Amino acid sequence: MSPETAARYAAAALPRYTSYPTAPHFQPLAEQDYRRWLAGIGAAEALSLYVHIPFCESLCWYCGCHTSVTRQPARLARYTGALLDEAALLAAALPAYAGVSALHLGGGTPSAIGAAGLARLLAGLHDRFAFRDTAELAVELDPRVLTPEIAAALAEGGINRASLGVQDIDPAVQQRIGRVQSNEQVAGAVAMLRGEGIGAINLDLMYGLPGQGIAQVEASARFAVELQADRVAVFGYAHVPWMKPAQQAIDSAALPGAMARLEQAEAAAAVLEGAGYLRIGLDHFAWPSDPMARAAAAGTLRRNFQGYTTDTAPVLLGLGASAIGRAPAGFAQNLAGERDWLAAVAEGRLPVARGRALSDEDRLRGRLIERLMCELELDLAAVPEAVLATARPRLDALRADGVVAERRGWLLVRERRFLRHVAAAFDAYLGQGPGRHSQAA
């Protein structure tokens, strides 16, 4: 592939495909419709929970999450209590189900609610839902604000996997993104968690940051190897200041170009693969013994709003302001505003605002896109002719450019870095509506 062609692909704006249809195509969703969806859950279906805690002690400029800065104990306690009230509403709306197989606390910074708040939240969730003994309980953490008390509360509450944001270890890059933390802080946080028995550690890195080059990306990847992280995610920075005003603090002139981003991503991959990690999907790496690597080998890897996951539960319940969940019937997203969400929960209403009922074609295309994103190949014989016909023009162009190949009826992704382009060939909604997306590389 010529550099010009690669640059064109890299500069294209495409969804990350953590759902299908993607969130810009959600529509207003009535509470009674969501309740009907929940009532249709089968007794043999497991649940997973996503709990969104939209608070941080300070705002990192690169962040694309729904969060805000606060240190007000009363506000944090009120929000924690409302999460448990929402959990009770959801539990009451559910029929019999096959237990909770996964929990993910995300944000923001979940530890913002403090050790006591985390203990209260985790105990309350266990009281309201039936957790499986084998459930994975994960949390996202900021190593700068992790304390021994918080680590102990997480362990006591059953947390067994933690993801820490590292992004880049270079001090100059950290200054440019408003996220200054030392290597010692990160290493200390990892040691603290492992000391409490939370042994599964994920580290998140980023490329495409202002002032970042290959040397910085490689050094950050080597640091993750030194800490023996079980999984490493290497995300491309998504510069979307029209959606996230805090990103306006980032000097866009200092952002690497499309080709530089591609080179940075491959440089990080080379370090991690050279250290023995397996490359998974678009942007994840895991030790061969890790459950994610085993799921990828077995063809059971999944993708949801948290990215790649081993969670195979057909139902994901979203709790908290802006949280997104999925029932077999469709996607549901909560009210984004904290006050509106609090008011709905206080009134005893499920605080759902928007979502998307799934048609049979949506489910089919969603499965095709997920398999491509997870396995980088697709059995074309399993694709209905009508769907394949709509994808064929894009697939032919991708094949001509060397992004994909077709052999013995299988579609094979040759250029992993442009995986989102291949998935987009099966997206019937692409180009419709007001949604704007990040760069594809």
Side-chain angles (χ1 to χ4, degrees), residues 215-405:
Q216 288 90 346
V217 170
E218 289 178 333
S220 298
R222 286 194 296 269
F223 180 63
V225 173
E226 291 168 6
L227 291 180
Q228 298 183 311
D230 298 84
R231 301 175 190 169
V232 182
V234 185
F235 299 117
Y237 167 59
H239 192 58
V240 287
W242 58 88
M243 292 174 55
K244 299 298 175 183
Q247 293 187 356
Q248 295 173 11
I250 288 179
D251 179 8
S252 59
L255 293 174
M259 288 304 295
R261 288 171 61 95
L262 288 177
E263 292 167 357
Q264 290 176 9
E266 291 307 308
V271 170
L272 294 167
E273 289 183 293
Y277 288 85
L278 297 182
R279 194 170 186 176
I280 294 172
L282 180 64
D283 47 24
H284 278 52
F285 301 81
W287 290 125
S289 59
D290 186 86
M292 181 168 284
R294 296 200 300 268
T300 59
L301 185 67
R302 302 295 301 274
R303 189 162 171 83
N304 64 17
F305 294 101
Q306 284 73 60
Y308 288 106
T309 179
T310 59
D311 177 30
T312 59
V315 180
L316 170 64
L317 301 181
L319 293 84
S322 81
I324 303 177
R326 174 178 176 164
F331 295 105
Q333 182 172 22
N334 280 350
L335 292 158
E338 181 185 350
R339 290 183 180 179
D340 292 339
W341 174 80
L342 286 168
V345 172
E347 293 168 6
R349 294 186 286 114
L350 295 180
V352 66
R354 54 198 295 267
R356 182 85 187 202
L358 294 173
S359 67
D360 289 341
E361 183 175 339
D362 288 336
R363 292 188 181 90
L364 170 64
R365 288 179 179 270
R367 286 195 297 272
L368 297 176
I369 288 172
E370 184 179 48
R371 290 341 305 153
L372 275 170
M373 293 295 294
C374 291
E375 298 174 10
L376 284 79
E377 61 181 22
L378 189 66
D379 182 1
L380 294 178
V383 183
E385 186 56 41
V387 172
L388 187 56
T390 63
R392 180 53 67 188
R394 288 196 183 104
L395 293 179
D396 287 345
L398 291 165
R399 188 174 64 247
D401 288 332
V403 177
V404 300

